[in-house]
Amino acid sequence: MGRAAEMTGTTPGFLRSLGDQGLITPLRSEGGHRRYSRYQLRIAMRARDLVDQGTSIDAACRIIILEDQLEEALRINEQLRSRQAGPESATGT
């Protein structure tokens, strides 16, 4: 956790609070140490940026969750549009 905090420019307490808010859930090593993915570290840095701008931590977590949901919805929407366009548009004919 100390290394993850150093990499994200935060504190271990900040990372724990992100976990408490349900924003990130690190895996645990056999020894019980938290293991963060690169994606989780990016999320932690985004939360840190929002908090540094004056956003409360719970609001920052909610913003990030909504941004993630929007990104996923846009991706699904694009996939559906591609399927509706049919194979002609994929091959350029």
Side-chain angles (χ1 to χ4, degrees):
M1 175 174 265
R3 177 77 178 121
E6 181 182 308
M7 291 172 64
T8 58
T10 64
T11 64
F14 182 82
L15 292 176
R16 276 191 294 277
S17 66
L18 295 181
D20 293 344
Q21 293 284 330
L23 185 62
I24 57 176
T25 306
L27 297 176
R28 295 281 185 152
S29 69
E30 288 183 22
H33 299 283
R34 290 174 178 89
R35 301 286 182 186
Y36 295 92
S37 69
R38 289 182 183 173
Y39 175 74
Q40 290 172 329
L41 294 176
R42 283 195 308 270
I43 293 292
M45 288 187 287
R46 174 73 174 124
R48 182 206 61 216
D49 290 343
L50 288 168
V51 170
D52 287 350
Q53 294 172 20
T55 306
S56 69
I57 195 163
D58 56 328
C61 291
R62 186 69 184 138
I63 288 168
I64 293 167
I65 289 168
L66 290 171
E67 288 174 342
D68 195 50
Q69 289 173 344
L70 176 60
E71 185 178 317
E72 178 68 7
L74 292 171
R75 186 188 62 74
I76 291 169
N77 203 9
E78 184 57 36
Q79 286 177 343
L80 292 173
R81 283 190 188 133
S82 295
R83 287 186 198 147
Q84 287 177 346
E88 302 85 35
S89 60
T91 60
T93 57

